[in-house]
Amino acid sequence: MHQMTLAEIARGLADKKFSSEELTKVLLARITQLDPQLNSFISLTEDLAIEQAKAADARRANGESGALLGAPIAHKDLFCTLGIRTSCGSKMLDNFKAPYDATVVAKLAAAGAVTLGKTNMDEFAMGSANESSWYGAVKNPWNLEHVPGGSSGGSAAAVAARLLPAATATDTGGSIRQPAAFTNLTGLKPTYGRVSRWGMIAYASSLDQGGPLARTAEDCAILLQGMAGFDPNDSTSIDEPVPDYSASLGESLQGLRIGVPKEYFSAGLDPRIAELIQNSIQQLQKLGAVIKEISLPNMQHAIPAYYVIAPAEASSNLSRFDGVRFGHRCENPENLIDLYKRSRGEGFGAEVQRRIMVGAYALSAGYYDAYYLKAQKIRRLVKNDFMAAFNEVDIILGPTTPNPAWKLGAKNSDPVAAYLEDVYTITANLAGLPGLSMPAGFVDGLPVGVQLLAPYFQEGRLLNVAHQYQLNTDWHTRTPTGF
Ligand code: GLN
């Protein structure tokens, strides 16, 4: 049962082969049995899950249908869930029970999805390895000595290990696509503004975007359908109609123009990954796509720009966690300053503190023009590169990451080494474009992802290309040994 995709579950539920309650119980038992190896969950919501599953079964018995009605999922632990701990992977919020549901959570619940729990993540979504979580590192089911990627590492590890078919995640600089690549999943970061950020604890507001993590493009289409849409509670939400994503999965790739940026194949890319990317290009050519070399000349400036903008926004967003308005409060403060200092010092981990300091520095008078303003100008150049490229091509293709998943602890002493691994993913966030990562093969037994980028609101195109590829390849069907 645990091998079923969301699409298969929807068919099985519709055909009355099993009930949502039965399936939910099987998966909850599987999580209890296997998750101690992975640490992919921060909280399990068994009672809620059984209650939601029973309600979904009753709705089906009353003649209702829907791809998510009775489908078990989990939420990254930065989506607020009413009355349930929403920790953001931080000691700061270990005691925080959200007073409301995030829009994404509410929409999926209304569609009948069943919440099994809240997944582990890098603290405040800062990281690429899921090692900065206060609840401990998450292990990669493909090799328990390696990281699953981050910051949505818990969602990724859980889905990859078949603990559940799909999960929500968020992507500020790659946190959906990179863990998807590291764990052999399909993950989609939508266009900025496509999915509501209301109730999604903010890291860098102008970059954050929620999206689906699943095994197939078909399943990402189903989950995105339940997440996307205009939300008046989010002032950056865009009032565009949501297309039927599953209906966009049948299109031929004949004549599809795929751009491959020459800058992607630089010295930093593992040559074995480069080879797998070439294989995926050939596969898509066989399906009718036309390949064109393109250039994204400002890509080299993207990492420094991102690592100014994201911390700057984070330093502002995280100011509310001060032990007064929100978050952990230290014992016996001597005065107000002592309360702030110790509460924040105790509540935030090292990486979060580093980013707050970098961000506050970049925003401070005298440095604003040199860092923040310059980074914003680079951001515009990165966007312009994409706009020029999309005049010539329909999709941009390349690796999701320069290397496969590294060993736990390997980059702990050198944060910049980890930042450099984000080189292929962060440009889409800077430009606000949609991006998808899908399985493209293995290196030393570790999964490798290929990334597809598309113009604004072309999520359907990304999902269709990935679906056509998955109809003709079987990388995405591989299961990690032991799961
Ligand atoms: N690795 C990037 C960072 O740490 C991206 C994280 C994310 O997308 N949330 O900022």
Side-chain angles (χ1 to χ4, degrees):
M1 247 183 167
H2 60 265
Q3 284 288 358
M4 285 188 298
T5 62
L6 276 183
E8 288 163 351
I9 289 169
R11 281 196 291 275
L13 288 171
D15 295 345
K16 301 200 169 47
K17 294 227 170 80
F18 48 86
S19 67
S20 173
E21 189 182 350
E22 273 174 80
L23 174 63
T24 297
K25 284 181 173 160
V26 167
L27 296 181
L28 285 172
R30 199 172 150 78
I31 293 169
T32 311
Q33 185 202 342
L34 294 173
D35 198 47
Q37 295 176 62
L38 299 170
N39 196 28
S40 65
F41 278 86
I42 290 175
S43 305
L44 270 186
T45 51
E46 284 122 321
D47 295 346
L48 173 69
I50 300 291
E51 188 189 309
Q52 287 178 324
K54 282 183 175 160
D57 287 335
R59 281 168 66 180
R60 278 201 188 266
N62 279 332
E64 259 190 77
S65 59
L68 286 165
L69 187 55
I73 58 159
H75 293 295
K76 183 174 179 177
D77 205 19
L78 52 53
F79 286 100
C80 284
T81 38
L82 172 69
I84 296 165
R85 173 170 57 180
T86 301
S87 75
C88 229
S90 182
K91 177 180 178 184
M92 185 56 95
L93 290 178
D94 183 48
N95 285 327
F96 176 63
K97 287 190 177 150
Y100 65 98
D101 277 332
T103 298
V104 161
V105 172
K107 278 171 85 84
L108 288 170
V114 173
T115 304
L116 302 184
K118 308 286 299 287
T119 56
N120 204 343
M121 56 179 284
D122 275 306
E123 186 176 7
F124 284 99
M126 298 172 188
S128 310
N130 217 124
E131 292 181 290
S132 74
S133 169
W134 189 64
Y135 300 89
V138 177
K139 317 285 164 52
N140 189 325
W142 289 93
N143 184 329
L144 298 173
E145 289 178 3
H146 287 248
V147 303
S151 64
S152 314
S155 288
V159 176
R162 275 64 176 162
L163 304 185
L164 76 176
T168 60
T170 61
D171 190 312
T172 303
S175 283
I176 293 177
R177 292 160 288 157
Q178 186 254 20
F182 278 10
T183 59
N184 206 42
L185 297 181
T186 308
L188 174 72
K189 179 203 99 69
T191 306
Y192 183 76
R194 176 75 296 182
V195 169
S196 169
R197 292 186 299 107
W198 199 70
M200 208 176 96
I201 296 175
Y203 161 16
S205 309
S206 76
L207 303 160
D208 296 343
Q209 188 59 200
L213 260 174
R215 303 214 300 272
T216 63
E218 196 182 19
D219 280 7
C220 282
I222 293 172
L223 194 55
L224 179 63
Q225 200 75 47
M227 299 174 78
F230 176 62
D231 179 4
N233 286 332
D234 171 1
S235 60
T236 58
S237 168
I238 298 180
D239 196 356
E240 272 278 314
V242 181
D244 182 341
Y245 294 117
S246 297
S248 59
L249 299 182
E251 281 166 39
S252 152
L253 302 191
Q254 202 61 46
L256 180 88
R257 298 167 304 167
I258 297 184
V260 181
K262 59 173 192 254
E263 291 82 2
Y264 279 9
F265 294 88
S266 65
L269 177 63
D270 183 327
R272 299 166 302 174
I273 294 189
E275 197 183 320
L276 291 172
I277 300 306
Q278 292 303 338
N279 294 348
S280 70
I281 290 174
Q282 282 167 16
Q283 184 66 45
L284 290 165
Q285 275 177 310
K286 274 195 223 153
L287 299 175
V290 184
I291 306 301
K292 214 175 152 157
E293 188 184 87
I294 58 165
S295 175
L296 299 172
N298 291 292
M299 180 181 150
Q300 52 173 324
H301 308 303
I303 288 187
Y306 172 90
Y307 278 101
V308 168
I309 293 170
E313 293 187 17
S315 73
S316 165
N317 276 326
L318 271 57
S319 64
R320 73 191 66 163
F321 304 108
D322 57 6
V324 178
R325 287 170 295 173
F326 287 99
H328 167 82
R329 179 179 296 184
C330 67
E331 301 272 344
N332 306 320
E334 278 170 25
N335 52 40
L336 188 63
I337 298 294
D338 183 47
L339 181 148
Y340 285 149
K341 272 193 181 166
R342 280 203 289 124
S343 298
R344 285 168 70 81
E346 292 166 12
F348 289 135
E351 184 61 26
V352 174
Q353 293 190 21
R354 180 181 296 122
R355 305 236 186 157
I356 291 173
M357 286 192 283
V358 167
Y361 178 81
L363 289 176
S364 56
Y367 296 105
Y368 183 91
D369 288 5
Y371 296 109
Y372 187 72
L373 201 63
K374 187 165 260 169
Q376 292 290 22
K377 289 179 179 173
I378 293 172
R379 184 172 191 175
R380 169 52 65 124
L381 294 176
V382 167
K383 177 182 168 179
N384 290 352
D385 281 358
F386 279 120
M387 295 304 101
F390 283 127
N391 281 331
E392 296 175 50
V393 298
D394 305 309
I395 288 270
I396 294 174
L397 180 147
T400 307
T401 63
N403 295 293
W406 54 89
K407 276 203 157 159
L408 284 150
K411 293 189 196 287
N412 281 358
S413 57
D414 185 358
V416 174
Y419 300 171
L420 292 173
E421 297 290 321
D422 297 337
V423 60
Y424 297 117
T425 49
I426 54 175
T427 51
N429 302 77
L430 289 172
L433 291 166
L436 175 148
S437 179
M438 62 181 185
F442 291 82
V443 162
D444 290 338
L446 292 164
V448 166
V450 54
Q451 176 178 246
L452 308 173
L453 303 175
Y456 297 113
F457 293 103
Q458 296 305 318
E459 286 80 7
R461 186 185 297 169
L462 290 176
L463 291 164
N464 179 52
V465 175
H467 182 62
Q468 299 306 319
Y469 178 81
Q470 291 178 343
L471 288 174
N472 290 280
T473 54
D474 67 356
W475 301 119
H476 62 288
T477 65
R478 311 280 173 99
T479 307
T481 315
F483 298 95

